[in-house]
Amino acid sequence: MSRHSVVLRPARVEDALFLAVLWSDALRRGDRQEQVADVELLVKDSLVSAEQRLLVAEVDGAPAGAVLLKVTTLTPLNLEPVVQAVSPHVLPEFRRLGVGRLLVESAAAYAEELGIAHVATGAAAGSRDANRFMARLGLGPHAVLRVAPSHLVRAKAEAQRPPAERHRDRARAQLLAARRTLRRQQSEQQA
C-alpha cells in the first residue's frame, strides 16, 4: 500500500476553477464563468478575513478537496459562536485517503485556535456516506435545513388554508386590483 502525502493550504485565486468544479452542486446555478467569479470572491474574502478560511487539500501535489471555514453563530437566535465547515468536498478519486478527515479536523483546529467550543457542518440529506462519515467524526444532527422555491412554498401554503379563508383573500386581492385599475384610469384621464 502506497502512502500519499496529504497537505492543506490556503486557497489561491488560481484555485477558483478547481473549486467551482468541486463545488458545482453547491454553487448558484449559472454558467461556469459566473461560478468561477463567485468562487474568486470567496477566495479573496478569505485571504483578508479573520473570520473565514478557505483551504484546499492536495494529495501528492494535486488538488483533491476543499472546505470553507467560517465563524458564525449557532443560529440567528442562539448567538453562541461556532465554526462552520461549509462544503467539505473531496474529489471521488481521492476519497479514502484521509482528505475528508483532514478537512473536518482543520475546522476543529480553527475553532480551538479561536476559543470556539463548537464545529458545525452539513451533508446532503440523500448522501448516506457523507452523513455516516460526519457521524463517525462526532458530528450529530442539530437541525434539518429544508429548501424549496418560494413560489412552491406559497402554493403549498395556500393549498393548506381553509377554503373560506382562501376565498376571502382571493376576493380581497380582486378588490385591490380593481381599485388600482380605477386609480390608474383616473390618473390617465387627469393627465
Side-chain angles (χ1 to χ4, degrees):
M1 179 173 136
S2 64
R3 296 283 290 165
H4 295 279
S5 171
V6 182
V7 296
L8 287 180
R9 63 167 174 78
R12 300 183 291 253
V13 174
E14 53 268 21
D15 293 316
L17 179 58
F18 162 74
L19 294 168
V21 171
L22 181 71
W23 288 333
S24 62
D25 62 334
L27 296 173
R28 70 178 167 130
R29 287 192 171 98
D31 66 19
R32 183 67 75 205
Q33 259 185 330
E34 290 174 322
Q35 291 177 334
V36 169
D38 288 349
V39 173
E40 284 177 356
L41 286 174
L42 280 172
V43 172
K44 289 174 183 175
D45 287 347
S46 71
L47 291 172
V48 297
S49 175
E51 296 186 337
Q52 184 170 296
R53 285 186 184 168
L54 182 48
L55 301 174
V56 172
E58 292 181 336
V59 174
D60 299 329
V67 65
L68 173 64
L69 305 177
K70 186 174 180 81
V71 176
T72 186
T73 58
L74 194 57
T75 71
L77 299 176
N78 182 338
L79 302 182
E80 184 173 346
V82 64
V83 169
Q84 187 179 37
V86 181
S87 290
H89 277 52
V90 179
L91 290 174
E93 60 268 27
F94 294 107
R95 293 191 180 142
R96 306 217 181 277
L97 298 176
V99 177
R101 179 194 47 75
L102 192 58
L103 292 173
V104 176
E105 193 177 334
S106 71
Y110 187 42
E112 289 170 351
E113 177 184 321
L114 298 174
I116 295 174
H118 293 92
V119 172
T121 192
S127 177
R128 182 176 175 213
D129 288 341
N131 281 289
R132 290 178 73 190
F133 172 74
M134 294 304 174
R136 281 194 307 272
L137 292 177
L139 293 151
H142 180 73
V144 175
L145 178 65
R146 296 183 180 270
V147 180
S150 54
H151 71 277
L152 178 63
V153 174
R154 166 78 73 195
K156 296 283 187 176
E158 177 73 18
Q160 296 293 317
R161 295 171 72 189
E165 194 177 309
R166 285 187 299 212
H167 176 70
R168 184 181 65 238
D169 286 352
R170 206 173 297 123
R172 186 179 312 144
Q174 288 172 342
L175 176 63
L176 291 173
R179 287 180 183 167
R180 280 192 301 269
T181 302
L182 184 60
R183 270 191 241 119
R184 192 177 325 110
Q185 288 173 345
Q186 289 173 346
S187 65
E188 288 172 358
Q189 289 174 354
Q190 291 173 353

